[in-house]
Amino acid sequence: MTRAEPLVLGIETSCDETGIGIVRGRTLLSNTIASSMDEHARYGGVVPEVAARAHLEALQPAIEAAVAEAGITLEKLDAVAVTSGPGLAGALMVGVGAAKALAVSLGKPLYAVNHLVGHIAADILTGDEVEYPTVALLVSGGHTSLLLVRDLVSDVELLGETLDDAAGEAFDKIARILGLPYPGGPEIDRAAAGGDPNAIRFPRGLTRASDMAEHRYDFSFSGLKTAVARWVEQAAAAGSPVATADVAASFREAVVDVLVSKALDACDRHGVPRLLLGGGVIANRRLREVALERADAAGVAVRIPPLSLCTDNGAMIAALAAQLVASGHAPSTLAFGADSTLPVTEIQVARGDA
Amino acid sequence: MILGIDTSLGTAVAVVEADGVVRAEASSDNPLGHAEAIGTLLEAALADAAHGAIGQTGAPEPVTLTHVAAGMGPGPFTGLRVGIAAARAFALGRALPVIAVPSHDAAALGFLLGEALADPFAEPGRFAVVTDARRREFAYSVYDGLDDDGIPVRVAGPALTPRADIDDVLAEAGAARRDVTTIPAAMIAALAGRALTAGRELTGPEPLYLRAPDVTLPAAPKRVGA
Ligand SMILES: [Zn+2]
């Protein structure tokens, strides 16, 4: 194996995307994604059993498509990588079962890795030199986490995370309150066009001085959700039409404000002038706008990988494993499972030499 | 040789020769922990198979697999999927075809072969393979001997029934009850071999879930009050 540039296939099944990625070192060869999002639309959110069934169906064709796109054969692989957690347990298990069998079948080493750290690793596939330390803000329907990354393969610290809903879930729930379809992110964005983001001052969770000691970098969106629901109910009760554009814009502004404020605060207090964004909610245009604007004013450089690498994908899992290989980490043993609450400090699971 | 994998109850892996001789078996009866166990069991079964048929200790020889057989359930979904995913991925790695096998059929084959060994002239009566389906239900399939291809004749099922009703249901079908807590992967592979010889497909590529996903359509948003 060429240790500096290993050829790795990554399998990601932590939520509703079946992601198969193939990388050679820092070079992306395939980022194949099969999403079951449409199947969840009628339920207004990801249904774990529906997601797990879809993973099983999508896995084999996705691996075949990725291999074809990358122009490789499986025997050429230097390693197989898989997400061990965090995520939906039943969904993760499909990927873990497949990855172990593929590794044994091929006689190749297996790297079981952390999904969240994978999101950070996505950035190394952009072709630019990544500088550490960096603060990372990972926002999706499954997680909202603020991390301090000193070294991708050995030192990732959790600064804070959501105490209730993930930001993406908050978008989905508010969309439902406003009578908009799933997924909520793009719908809220559309509804907010032309709305006044300052029309209604919705609460910013965990930003009061009294929250700062314990939850400086944590997030909470349940109070915001309740405030929006109450506002809409009261408008309806008063017989006044709900100003959907204003509500959507003001809600979105509250979410974006908290996310960006806390991320830049972390940059400031840790003396790290770099912020990496990841996760599917990064697709939100307003979030990117505000982050870039305020980071610029604060002298913080922002990195945003292309959207296809921000949403859940297998390439980021392969990329992380490639870095583990390059830094001489031994592969994982076969004795690991899915860990739905895997802490971010566990970058690699069941490491053979640890 | 055929690699058999089943995770519909415990986790079971076996390697069987084309003529049915069992090369290796490795299994865990734990009804959970399929994702944890599957890799190690695969590795163990393959290593073991290199030493010849069970009981023999020949010098290692290469294990040349021709097919992978997957137990398709019924069984608790989360575990069941691990084995099917593993079978498909293993097959991809070696460019082998996958043969889908109903897990109850494999258990039935095991019974029928066992009975034939004990008394070759006995007429095996009608019987039902009964497995735990969780949620106070059993999964069952009813069998009536082997056909000319040596494949168990399934006359009913697989289907679900409330646990309290199983004996009535089986009495109605005239079938003796055979509770099963493990599916032998060797029988998954052996049955796949018989299907292959006969040119028959035993079931499709869909797992035998027998239940739609447990979901409820969202109600209108809850009122949060004034
Ligand atoms: Zn994610």
Side-chain angles (χ1 to χ4, degrees):
Chain A
M1 126 158 54
T2 51
R3 216 179 89 176
E5 296 249 287
L7 183 65
V8 183
L9 180 143
I11 300 179
E12 149 65 37
T13 63
S14 70
C15 192
D16 62 341
E17 326 266 11
T18 311
I20 304 296
I22 299 174
V23 307
R24 192 186 300 280
R26 297 169 163 258
T27 309
L28 176 64
L29 301 183
S30 176
N31 182 13
T32 300
I33 296 172
S35 175
S36 61
M37 191 203 284
D38 293 348
E39 294 173 54
H40 303 285
R42 52 195 290 247
Y43 307 112
V46 174
V47 180
E49 175 63 20
V50 172
R53 288 186 182 194
H55 283 309
L56 182 60
E57 244 174 80
L59 208 62
Q60 189 177 340
I63 295 175
E64 284 167 337
V67 166
E69 186 185 25
I72 61 151
T73 56
L74 287 169
E75 306 84 72
K76 292 264 165 40
L77 290 174
D78 293 311
V80 175
V82 66
T83 303
S84 170
L88 303 169
L92 287 165
M93 282 180 211
V94 176
V96 170
K100 286 184 178 180
L102 185 60
V104 172
S105 171
L106 295 168
K108 305 289 183 181
L110 176 63
Y111 287 79
V113 304
N114 188 300
H115 173 82
L116 292 173
V117 183
H119 273 298
I120 302 164
D123 192 46
I124 65 174
L125 297 173
T126 56
D128 303 333
E129 207 49 53
V130 188
E131 256 191 279
Y132 297 111
T134 182
V135 168
L137 173 67
L138 307 179
V139 205
S140 78
H143 42 75
T144 303
S145 309
L146 200 51
L147 313 175
L148 177 58
V149 187
R150 294 191 191 85
D151 186 308
L152 180 66
V153 298
S154 62
D155 190 353
V156 180
E157 182 188 342
L158 178 72
L159 299 177
E161 61 190 334
T162 183
L163 304 182
D164 38 61
D165 290 342
E169 277 178 283
F171 274 96
D172 294 338
K173 288 177 177 174
I174 297 306
R176 263 185 66 204
I177 289 170
L178 294 175
L180 303 170
Y182 173 88
E187 294 294 332
I188 296 276
D189 250 4
R190 214 166 292 140
D196 175 1
N198 303 308
I200 311 153
R201 174 75 193 177
F202 287 126
R204 271 68 171 158
L206 301 180
T207 56
R208 277 193 304 250
S210 57
D211 295 320
M212 279 300 146
E214 231 181 304
H215 295 298
R216 185 169 199 106
Y217 303 122
D218 288 328
F219 303 92
S220 167
F221 298 105
S222 68
L224 170 61
K225 187 186 68 189
T226 309
V228 175
R230 184 167 297 148
W231 198 94
V232 170
E233 272 174 31
Q234 281 169 353
S240 52
V242 176
T244 303
D246 286 349
V247 175
S250 300
F251 158 75
R252 186 181 61 180
E253 204 64 10
V255 175
V256 166
D257 185 21
V258 174
L259 291 173
V260 174
S261 299
K262 293 205 175 214
L264 291 177
D265 180 37
C267 291
D268 180 40
R269 299 205 16 140
H270 288 90
V272 173
R274 284 172 292 274
L275 173 62
L276 171 67
L277 302 182
V281 173
I282 301 306
N284 192 290
R285 201 178 42 80
R286 182 68 187 153
L287 174 56
R288 292 201 307 266
E289 248 171 44
V290 173
L292 289 169
E293 218 175 83
R294 284 168 50 182
D296 190 43
V300 170
V302 178
R303 300 182 62 96
I304 310 179
L307 192 61
S308 58
L309 290 170
C310 277
T311 51
D312 291 348
N313 66 83
M316 69 188 199
I317 300 305
L320 175 53
Q323 292 305 299
L324 290 167
V325 171
S327 4
H329 283 226
S332 302
T333 67
L334 289 172
F336 67 92
D339 185 345
S340 57
T341 59
L342 185 68
V344 74
T345 43
E346 288 193 40
I347 298 166
Q348 181 187 352
V349 172
R351 187 175 158 185
D353 59 356
Chain B
M1 276 177 260
I2 300 177
L3 173 69
I5 300 176
D6 188 281
T7 56
S8 65
L9 293 173
T11 306
V13 178
V15 178
V16 172
E17 289 176 11
D19 59 5
V21 172
V22 180
R23 279 283 191 131
E25 276 189 295
S27 65
S28 152
D29 292 348
N30 185 351
L32 301 171
H34 305 90
E36 284 84 349
I38 188 74
T40 322
L41 293 176
L42 275 170
E43 221 178 28
L46 290 168
D48 210 16
H51 293 283
I54 280 186
Q56 293 180 6
T57 49
E61 49 181 277
V63 175
T64 310
L65 296 171
T66 56
H67 299 82
V68 180
M72 303 303 282
F77 311 153
T78 309
L80 173 62
R81 275 189 290 265
V82 172
I84 301 173
R88 289 176 181 170
F90 191 98
L92 263 182
R94 305 249 177 129
L96 303 174
V98 176
I99 302 172
V101 178
S103 301
H104 283 186
D105 289 10
L109 179 63
F111 275 129
L112 292 164
L113 293 183
E115 265 172 27
L117 272 179
D119 178 0
F121 301 105
E123 274 292 311
R126 189 175 273 212
F127 67 96
V129 171
V130 178
T131 56
D132 181 17
R134 309 240 167 113
R135 298 193 195 174
R136 279 179 274 165
E137 285 188 314
F138 284 121
Y140 71 96
S141 305
V142 179
Y143 296 91
D144 220 348
L146 294 172
D147 63 21
D148 292 344
D149 295 325
I151 292 171
V153 180
R154 177 160 24 93
V155 294
L160 296 175
T161 183
R163 285 185 196 171
D165 298 351
I166 184 74
D167 289 323
D168 292 344
V169 169
L170 296 186
E172 181 94 3
R177 173 173 169 174
R178 304 258 199 176
D179 287 282
V180 165
T181 54
T182 58
I183 302 289
M187 290 300 117
I188 295 277
L191 184 51
R194 291 176 179 215
L196 202 64
T197 306
R200 283 166 55 184
E201 187 175 276
L202 301 172
T203 185
E206 275 292 300
L208 299 166
Y209 288 122
L210 306 186
R211 253 188 221 127
D214 200 18
V215 286
T216 42
L217 284 171
K222 271 202 302 279
R223 281 189 62 84
V224 292

